[in-house]
Amino acid sequence: GNSVTQMEGPVTLSEEAFLTINCTYTATGYPSLFWYVQYPGEGLQLLLKATKADDKGSNKGFEATYRKETTSFHLEKGSVQVSDSAVYFCALRDGTGGGNKLTFGTGTQLKVEL
Amino acid sequence: NAGVTQTPKFRILKIGQSMTLQCTQDMNHNYMYWYRQDPGMGLKLIYYSVGAGITDKGEVPNGYNVSRSTTEDFPLRLELAAPSQTSVYFCASTSAGANYGYTFGSGTRLTVV
């Protein structure tokens, strides 16, 4: 079956530090990959996506590259801000299963301090 | 431009009570989903629907029921609430095609005591 593994949190960084949140996946087909962000008390919001190998998704200074050879989709940002504090979820959608269902990782909490 | 609307935002139930969590979307999306979010566990799919009149079980359907009589609405029914159903519930929707992400509602925080 499909699965997504994310690095454990919480991750605590100082403002302007470099961020990496690791994500690896297992899928039966050729999945699309997503990063979602959840701010306190809110639902999940789509942050970025990639639909095929070597695609790079980017948004708001965050980026992630779909690496088929390492089955990874690591999230990076060059300089984090306090406002980036949130929980980040990696997810995949395998088009072979029907229903366009997403499989989520367990989430990684990011705390950015001044 | 409401997106996905969930009601209520908070609810406390006693063991054995029943309730319906409401979910409505105004984007004409065919696909709708119910997830529960537990601390450190990510999101688990409860039920989903690929269109009006069609529903199917996800990973954790026990204790829940759904219906989809219209494209817009996808209510989740809890019968005989149990403490294990204490969670945050999210409804989401999307269009067909693997390139689309989901649009999520803001969630319902349910406590069963």
Side-chain angles (χ1 to χ4, degrees), chain B:
Chain B
N1 191 14
V4 177
T5 302
Q6 289 184 239
T7 57
K9 292 190 181 300
F10 304 94
R11 183 72 185 268
I12 298 174
L13 278 183
K14 293 183 178 179
I15 294 171
Q17 288 185 320
S18 300
M19 76 165 294
T20 299
L21 281 65
Q22 302 292 342
C23 176
T24 300
Q25 55 92 6
D26 61 357
M27 298 167 287
N28 201 34
H29 285 169
N30 286 332
Y31 296 82
M32 296 188 73
Y33 309 84
W34 275 105
Y35 285 88
R36 59 178 288 171
Q37 183 181 29
D38 300 307
M41 300 295 290
L43 281 78
K44 299 295 185 185
L45 181 64
I46 305 171
Y47 270 95
Y48 68 99
S49 169
V50 301
I54 306 170
T55 62
D56 208 347
K57 295 177 180 179
E59 296 177 79
V60 290
N62 292 344
Y64 307 94
N65 277 298
V66 293
S67 59
R68 185 95 181 271
S69 57
T70 66
T71 298
E72 295 78 18
D73 300 307
F74 190 43
L76 177 71
R77 178 79 177 167
L78 278 72
E79 304 282 2
L80 299 176
S84 61
Q85 294 178 305
T86 294
S87 188
V88 181
Y89 292 84
F90 288 101
C91 180
S93 70
T94 190
S95 297
N99 292 344
Y100 293 94
Y102 288 6
T103 300
F104 280 83
S106 57
T108 296
R109 183 175 294 276
L110 175 67
T111 303
V112 181
V113 297

Side-chain angles (χ1 to χ4, degrees), chain A residues 36 38 49 51 93 99-100 102, chain B residues 33 35 37 97 99-100 102:
Chain A
Y36 283 83
Q38 184 181 31
K49 64 183 179 184
T51 59
R93 186 154 83 182
N100 285 320
L102 280 176
Chain B
Y33 309 84
Y35 285 88
Q37 183 181 29
N99 292 344
Y100 293 94
Y102 288 6

